[in-house]
Amino acid sequence: LDREFCLSAIGSFNCRPSVLRRRDPELCSRIDERYRSLKLDTVEGARNLARAALEEVPPPPLRLIQKRLNITTDIVRANFPQIGKQISERYREYRALKALNWRNIHLDSVRAVITELNSEGIYPSSRVVLRRIPEGTRIGRMALIELIREAKADLGISD
């Protein structure tokens, strides 16, 4: 017996659940017991799969795990809040580390451009450096200007 059967049984008896419960309490008890056990199995399975997701590299975001397991945020909060928090925290740390790595990569490329310009005897103004940065760089103009200032300071070049 499952929830769909219960709903179809109620429909076939053409009555409300409370009426069915009065007419056949034993059937309703079996339906309730079966539904509770299915729900418990589903929650335990989702909890185990969510625990397994803690080991994934790179860590997936919580919303992706919820989509995979076909569960909602409310189910996570109610049944395994600590695992949900761990998944979210792990993903946040991963994103922060990834952003820092990208920033360092961009800083290295800006530093290389400034060093090249300096060796050519050209003052590395922001405008000149920006022209030499590859077109497809996935970073905003203001962030690049900040990196140029930082790289110039690191290299001892006045602004």
Side-chain angles (χ1 to χ4, degrees), residues 87-156:
I87 290 169
S88 294
E89 182 59 32
R90 209 166 156 251
Y91 184 68
R92 250 190 312 277
E93 289 170 1
Y94 164 74
R95 293 285 302 197
L97 185 61
K98 189 175 176 181
L100 182 63
N101 286 342
W102 273 110
R103 186 183 185 289
N104 289 338
I105 289 168
H106 290 302
L107 181 61
D108 290 343
S109 66
V110 166
R111 204 178 275 134
V113 168
I114 290 173
T115 303
E116 179 186 325
L117 287 169
N118 207 20
S119 69
E120 293 173 9
I122 302 171
Y123 178 75
S125 68
S126 294
R127 180 178 292 155
V128 174
V129 174
L130 284 171
R131 277 194 227 129
R132 294 264 184 119
I133 297 290
E135 190 67 31
T137 304
R138 292 178 4 186
I139 190 168
R141 182 179 171 87
M142 295 309 294
L144 273 172
I145 290 172
E146 181 184 320
L147 290 175
I148 291 168
R149 286 187 184 131
E150 185 177 335
K152 285 164 92 175
D154 290 349
L155 295 170

Side-chain angles (χ1 to χ4, degrees), residues 50 54 62 76-77 80-89:
L54 283 169
L62 183 58
V76 172
R77 281 190 197 127
F80 39 96
Q82 286 306 107
I83 295 172
K85 287 176 186 174
Q86 289 172 341
I87 290 169
S88 294
E89 182 59 32

Side-chain angles (χ1 to χ4, degrees), residues 6-7 9-21 23:
C6 177
L7 294 174
I10 291 169
S12 65
F13 286 121
N14 198 18
C15 62
R16 293 190 308 267
S18 59
V19 174
L20 181 62
R21 193 168 299 281
R23 285 187 184 168

